[in-house]
Amino acid sequence: MLTYTDIHLLYILPAVGILTLITLPFINRWETSKIVIITAVALIYTTPCYNYSISNRARSYSPGRVKAVVGNVPVEEYLSVVLQTVLTSLWALLCLRWRLPFLNFNHDQRSYQLIRWIPILLLSVAVAVGFKIAVPGQKTFYLGSILYWASPVIMLMWYGAGNYFVRNIKLSFMAIVIPTIYLLWVNRIALKENVWHLNKATSLNVIAMNGLPLEEVLFTVITTTMVVLAGTCYDKAYGMIVTFSLIFPHQFSISWKFISQMYRAFETPEYSMPSIVTEDLKKCIEVLNSSSTFDTSNYLFHIDKLS
């Protein structure tokens, strides 16, 4: 009989440990602060969602499988949020660090606006639909709760970093898919061991993948995507700062000036920045890439990530 703690000890913590060892040479103050802040925000934002869904009996935990409860949520569930965020962030670091930030900038205003606003429009519909169907006690409750909980924050992140995400879509896709598959496998084990289960009265009772309910698959996919997108927001903002340093003069520090500058860099569309800077950098990279030594060091040690 496995407990929720056993699930973490046997499956999640070892994966986090392995990824930590692999990424250790690439971890610096910037990456550390990014992971810590994203994890803290994820925990704060997810806590009301879990409390609300559990209080409305959408999700429950078997007695004896959890050690303690804070609010309506087991301590292990809070830990799960932290570990999932760290695991996904470390994997995303491995996937996304190989491409220089300015290569992901989109200076075309028309395509930029389309990429920004079409998904936001669709997510707005998801918020409305989710709110309408999230009726406690109804079969659509859990699905609706997920939609109107996740969509607003995804809209916010997409507003600033959606184009950056799309320009690096292949690696971003890999950053999402691998941890999602692994976490779904772990969730399947937890469900099979009866650590937790969904209430059939508030679920569509549709099996989507390997015995997992549709809502659980959707929740895992969405939360993993949110973590990767949050990291993309940071990378886009910092990429803007190091690329257009005359416009964003404050370099990395734990200060209000840098934090406010990060927000400005996040929300600023790349097409409003001088494209000649990006083009010049691309030409420099093309010339320097003729040197195999520089090419290797460029991928291993990004200048903008050494701080």
Side-chain angles (χ1 to χ4, degrees):
M1 181 184 77
L2 292 179
T3 65
Y4 209 163
T5 300
D6 294 332
I7 296 294
H8 292 328
L9 291 174
L10 292 174
Y11 300 104
I12 304 298
L13 279 172
V16 171
I18 292 171
L19 285 174
T20 300
L21 290 175
I22 295 173
T23 57
L24 196 58
F26 310 126
I27 294 290
N28 49 44
R29 289 189 304 159
W30 166 251
E31 296 293 349
T32 301
S33 66
K34 179 172 71 173
I35 293 173
V36 168
I37 292 173
I38 291 175
T39 301
V41 172
L43 185 60
I44 292 169
Y45 192 70
T46 307
T47 295
C49 174
Y50 274 122
N51 275 278
Y52 182 68
S53 62
I54 293 172
S55 66
N56 283 281
R57 300 180 180 179
R59 188 183 183 98
S60 60
Y61 302 83
S62 299
R65 303 299 178 93
V66 296
K67 293 187 178 300
V69 174
V70 177
N72 299 312
V73 184
V75 171
E76 293 89 342
E77 197 66 76
Y78 293 113
L79 182 59
S80 178
V81 174
V82 172
L83 293 176
Q84 177 182 343
T85 305
V86 173
L87 184 150
T88 304
S89 296
L90 291 173
W91 176 257
L93 170 60
L94 281 179
C95 291
L96 301 175
R97 75 174 315 276
W98 311 108
R99 186 175 166 91
L100 292 168
F102 64 84
L103 296 176
N104 299 326
F105 292 164
N106 182 5
H107 288 281
D108 181 70
Q109 183 174 357
R110 184 174 181 275
S111 65
Y112 191 98
Q113 296 290 11
L114 288 174
I115 292 170
R116 168 182 274 182
W117 291 110
I118 290 177
I120 288 178
L121 178 62
L122 295 175
L123 287 165
S124 300
V125 174
V127 173
V129 171
F131 185 79
K132 184 176 182 179
I133 67 176
V135 180
Q138 299 297 313
K139 286 186 174 295
T140 55
F141 170 71
Y142 196 25
L143 175 62
S145 297
I146 293 171
L147 291 177
Y148 84 75
W149 166 79
S151 296
V153 73
I154 296 176
M155 290 166 61
L156 175 62
M157 293 189 290
W158 192 266
Y159 177 84
N163 275 268
Y164 192 95
F165 180 90
V166 170
R167 296 278 288 191
N168 200 18
I169 190 65
K170 291 182 180 179
L171 294 178
S172 298
F173 182 75
M174 287 299 298
I176 293 170
V177 169
I178 301 303
T180 297
I181 292 173
Y182 184 75
L183 291 167
L184 286 173
W185 176 67
V186 174
N187 285 344
R188 178 68 184 92
I189 294 172
L191 186 64
K192 187 177 180 180
E193 291 290 332
N194 201 32
V195 173
W196 57 262
H197 57 86
L198 300 186
N199 186 350
K200 291 184 178 181
T202 55
S203 171
L204 295 176
N205 300 312
V206 175
I207 303 303
M209 182 182 296
N210 195 28
L212 283 172
L214 171 64
E215 292 88 348
E216 189 60 31
V217 173
L218 183 64
F219 185 77
T220 303
V221 171
I222 288 176
T223 51
T224 305
T225 302
M226 289 168 72
V227 173
V228 174
L229 188 54
T232 300
C233 292
Y234 270 78
D235 290 341
K236 184 258 182 170
Y238 197 50
M240 291 279 281
I241 289 171
V242 298
T243 303
F244 305 104
S245 55
L246 294 179
I247 300 172
F248 303 105
H250 303 294
Q251 295 304 302
F252 177 70
S253 64
I254 307 300
S255 66
W256 175 248
K257 286 184 178 180
F258 182 75
I259 293 172
S260 60
Q261 180 180 260
M262 279 284 291
Y263 178 75
R264 286 195 297 111
F266 160 74
E267 69 171 354
T268 300
E270 297 98 283
Y271 67 77
S272 67
M273 296 288 101
S275 61
I276 189 172
V277 176
T278 303
E279 294 303 320
D280 285 348
L281 286 171
K282 288 180 180 179
K283 290 178 182 178
C284 290
I285 291 298
E286 289 176 4
V287 172
L288 291 171
N289 273 347
S290 60
S291 166
S292 59
T293 302
F294 175 82
D295 195 36
T296 302
S297 62
N298 170 48
Y299 282 106
L300 291 178
F301 307 104
H302 289 343
I303 293 174
D304 60 308
K305 297 293 182 71
L306 291 178
S307 58

